[in-house]
Structures are given as structure tokens and as C-alpha cells.
């Protein structure tokens, strides 16, 4: 199909729309995270109620056309089911001492979003923090990757897995899938996976979502959407390199980050990302939610 590749390479209007959609969606998601932090410790929330509340925050933008896909809302052991879909039969409460995984997105006329965050309900265990940080290290490795023309998704997939592999851990899904522009949230030909044979080209949007899943206990997945950037000269280098611009704007859960496991470069990236989230999303929030965001994006390093 001659349409597939040009569709995957987003034009300037589509790229501007994606940035606008992610700013709008990020503000809604920040309101959701602030609400969740206030309400979850009470132990009254369940997976269905939380998923509906997130959709409500997106609908309040007055721009939401539909959710991108059925929200994955997994508490505790349900978060370890990669493609979990909550039903009345499986619906669980969000319990203190557990992790909550939410994978969701919105369809807007100017763009499609897809984000996953893993959130501590109450105090997490040391193991939860370790596994979360290993996943975060893989996420940062993709976000900061530089690569020449001709690089395929299969060439980058191991970047997301190295920290996990060093601990004898892994995840059994691709690291990233292509995303459309007010179209399918799974769109090819590009992907970051063991099957990712398509070359990455400027203008393509792909997800960055490494994970870890402990069956019967908890799951961790951290997903942002990233845009493949134009080739540029690297100082001191002799070949132009492409990279990724992170589009998604939402804080990571600082309570789950083991700072001692991050390198100085990883800490610099995380603090810079959180500063960018605060700068862009903060003005869109009311005083209570803004105060929550300021705390959630405070420097870690």
C-alpha cells in the first residue's frame, strides 16, 4: 500500500497537532493523577471507577472525540496482565501497599495520545522501587538514543532491556509501536521491537514503553510517545544522527524512583523532563492541582 509510509511520516501540521494534543491531554492526566493521589489512600476506589474518572477529565477538555482504546486499569496483580481489560468480575480495589498501572489515551482532532504510568498506592516495597527504576532506565535509554539513517526498531529494542537483562529480568512485548494522527493508536510500519524491521524516519511517532511484570503481584510499564527528529550533526561527530522528541507530558512517580540506581545523565534527563512538564502543564491547572504538580516534578537529582 503506497499510502502507509507517507502516512507514518507526519507532516508539519500533524506534528504541531500532536504537540497540542499532548499538552491538552497532559493537563487532563495531571488533574487525574492529583485526584488519584488525594482519593486512593482511602481505599474506596476500584479499577472501573478510576478508568471512568480519567475519561471524565479528558472529556472536560471539550476536545475529546473518543478514548484511543479501552483503558487498561490494573491494580495489584491485575497490573501484571499485559493486555488486561477490567470487567465487573475482575474489578479490584486500589489497595495501600500495591501498585496501580493505567494505560490509556485520547483521540483528538489534532492528534492521538497513548500514555502509561505506574503509581504507588501507599508505601511501595524496595523491590517495587528497584523494578520500577530498571524500567525507567530502559525508558530513558530509548528517549535519549541517537541513531543514524537506516536504523530499524529492532536495532533499538535492546536499549530498553539492558538494565533489566543485567538483573535477569525482561518483558514479553515490544518496546514501541507506531501511532497515527487522529487514526489508529497502533499504526505501522514502524515499531521498536524484535520484529521492527522498518527503518525509522523523521516525522514518525512511536511509543516508548518498556515494562516488568511479576505474575500474581504487580506490573510496571512506563510509556511516552516520541517523535523521530530530523538528522543533525553531533558535535565532534562525522555522521548526522536522528533522535527522539518526547511528546507525552506527565510526571513519573518519584516515590518509586531509587535514585541510587540512576546515573548522573539519567538523573539529568529525568529532572529536565519534569521541569518541562511543570513549565508547560502548570499554567493549565488550578491552584490545588498546580501545587500537586510542583511537588511531583520537583528535582530528584
Amino acid at each position: 500500500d503506497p499510502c502507509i509510509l507517507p502516512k507514518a511520516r507526519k507532516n508539519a501540521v500533524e506534528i504541531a497537532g500532536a504537540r497540542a494534543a499532548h499538552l491538552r491531554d497532559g493537563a487532563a492526566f495531571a488533574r487525574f493523577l492529583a485526584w488519584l493521589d488525594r482519593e486512593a489512600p482511602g481505599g474506596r476506589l476500584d479499577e472501573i471507577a478510576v478508568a471512568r474518572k480519567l475519561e471524565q477529565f479528558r472529556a472536560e477538555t471539550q476536545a475529546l472525540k473518543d478514548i484511543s482504546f479501552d483503558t487498561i486499569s490494573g491494580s495489584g496483580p491485575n497490573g501484571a496482565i499485559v493486555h488486561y481489560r477490567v470487567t465487573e468480575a475482575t474489578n479490584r480495589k486500589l489497595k495501600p501497599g500495591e501498585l496501580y498501572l493505567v494505560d490509556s489515551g485520547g483521540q483528538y482532532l489534532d492528534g492521538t495520545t497513548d500514555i502509561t504510568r505506574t503509581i504507588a498506592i501507599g508505601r511501595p516495597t524496595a523491590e517495587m522501587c528497584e523494578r520500577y527504576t530498571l524500567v525507567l532506565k530502559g525508558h530513558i535509554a530509548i528517549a535519549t538514543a541517537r541513531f543514524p539513517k537506516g536504523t530499524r526498531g529492532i536495532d533499538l529494542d535492546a536499549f530498553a532491556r539492558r538494565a533489566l537483562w543485567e538483573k535477569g529480568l525482561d518483558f514479553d512485548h515490544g518496546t514501541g509501536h507506531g501511532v497515527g494522527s487522529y487514526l489508529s493508536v497502533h499504526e505501522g510500519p514502524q515499531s521498536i521491537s524484535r520484529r521492527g524491521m522498518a527503518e525509522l524516519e523523521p516525522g514518525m511517532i512511536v511509543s516508548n514503553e518498556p515494562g516488568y511484570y511479576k505474575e500474581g503481584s504487580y506490573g510496571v510499564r512506563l510509556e511516552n510517545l516520541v517523535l523521530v527528529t530530523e538528522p543533525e550533526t553531533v558535535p565532534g561527530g562525522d555522521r548526522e544522527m536522528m533522535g527522539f522528541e518526547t511528546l507525552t507530558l506527565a510526571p513519573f512517580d518519584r516515590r518509586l524512583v531509587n535514585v541510587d540506581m540512576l546515573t548522573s545523565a539519567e538523573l539529568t534527563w529525568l529532572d529536565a523532563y519534569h521541569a518541562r512538564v511543570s513549565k508547560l502543564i502548570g499554567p493549565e491547572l488550578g491552584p490545588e492541582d498546580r501545587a500537586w504538580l510542583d511537588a511531583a516534578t520537583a528535582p530528584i537529582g
Side-chain angles (χ1 to χ4, degrees):
D1 184 341
C3 297
I4 291 177
L5 191 56
K7 185 171 68 170
R9 295 187 297 241
K10 306 299 183 281
N11 62 35
V13 173
E14 290 171 316
I15 292 170
R19 292 180 180 131
H22 279 87
L23 177 60
R24 182 187 313 115
D25 195 75
F29 199 80
R31 293 185 188 102
F32 163 75
L33 289 177
W35 168 83
L36 187 66
D37 256 13
R38 292 191 295 266
E39 299 296 329
R44 296 182 300 274
L45 299 180
D46 60 43
E47 295 167 342
I48 291 176
V50 173
R52 287 174 175 165
K53 188 68 174 181
L54 175 53
E55 185 173 349
Q56 176 188 323
F57 279 113
R58 286 191 165 112
E60 288 173 359
T61 66
Q62 303 298 310
L64 183 72
K65 296 301 180 182
D66 200 354
I67 54 175
S68 301
F69 53 93
D70 291 338
T71 298
I72 297 174
S73 178
S75 171
N78 287 344
I81 303 170
V82 174
H83 299 295
Y84 175 68
R85 292 292 186 275
V86 61
T87 66
E88 293 290 348
T90 64
N91 191 23
R92 289 184 85 255
K93 295 280 190 182
L94 277 61
K95 300 177 182 179
E98 295 186 341
L99 298 184
Y100 171 65
L101 186 153
V102 58
D103 184 346
S104 66
Q107 289 282 16
Y108 305 94
L109 284 176
D110 50 2
T112 299
T113 69
D114 183 2
I115 176 175
T116 307
R117 287 295 183 269
T118 303
I119 301 143
I121 308 299
R123 179 175 293 182
T125 66
E127 181 191 275
M128 290 173 178
C129 295
E130 180 208 29
R131 305 297 158 89
Y132 182 99
T133 307
L134 291 171
V135 174
L136 179 61
K137 288 170 75 71
H139 181 97
I140 295 172
I142 295 292
T144 58
R146 305 301 295 268
F147 48 93
K149 182 178 180 181
T151 298
R152 306 159 300 169
I154 191 174
D155 301 321
L156 297 180
D157 185 66
F159 285 34
R161 302 177 189 271
R162 178 176 176 176
L164 287 162
W165 285 351
E166 288 176 349
K167 298 293 185 179
L169 309 170
D170 202 0
F171 55 95
D172 297 321
H173 58 75
T175 299
H177 56 85
V179 177
S181 180
Y182 191 44
L183 287 167
S184 174
V185 76
H186 281 230
E187 179 179 285
Q190 74 275 22
S191 71
I192 302 175
S193 69
R194 293 185 173 102
R195 299 191 299 272
M197 302 307 291
E199 294 182 7
L200 297 174
E201 300 186 33
M204 288 180 169
I205 294 175
V206 65
S207 65
N208 171 12
E209 50 179 309
Y212 169 76
Y213 309 92
K214 185 174 183 178
E215 185 176 356
S217 185
Y218 61 87
V220 176
R221 186 162 64 252
L222 301 174
E223 177 186 20
N224 285 344
L225 297 191
V226 295
L227 171 73
V228 181
T229 60
E230 295 287 341
E232 61 181 14
T233 302
V234 177
D238 56 11
R239 294 190 184 186
E240 289 188 328
M241 295 287 161
M242 297 182 288
F244 293 119
E245 172 193 337
T246 296
L247 297 171
T248 305
L249 298 166
F252 296 97
D253 194 335
R254 300 168 80 258
R255 297 165 296 194
L256 285 163
V257 178
N258 183 333
V259 177
D260 293 336
M261 293 173 58
L262 297 179
T263 67
S264 60
E266 290 166 341
L267 280 169
T268 296
W269 182 90
L270 184 58
D271 281 345
Y273 175 74
H274 277 160
R276 179 169 165 247
V277 170
S278 179
K279 178 181 178 180
L280 295 176
I281 297 298
E284 307 297 320
L285 304 180
E288 186 178 20
D289 293 339
R290 178 63 189 266
W292 175 89
L293 184 68
D294 287 344
T297 57
I300 296 177

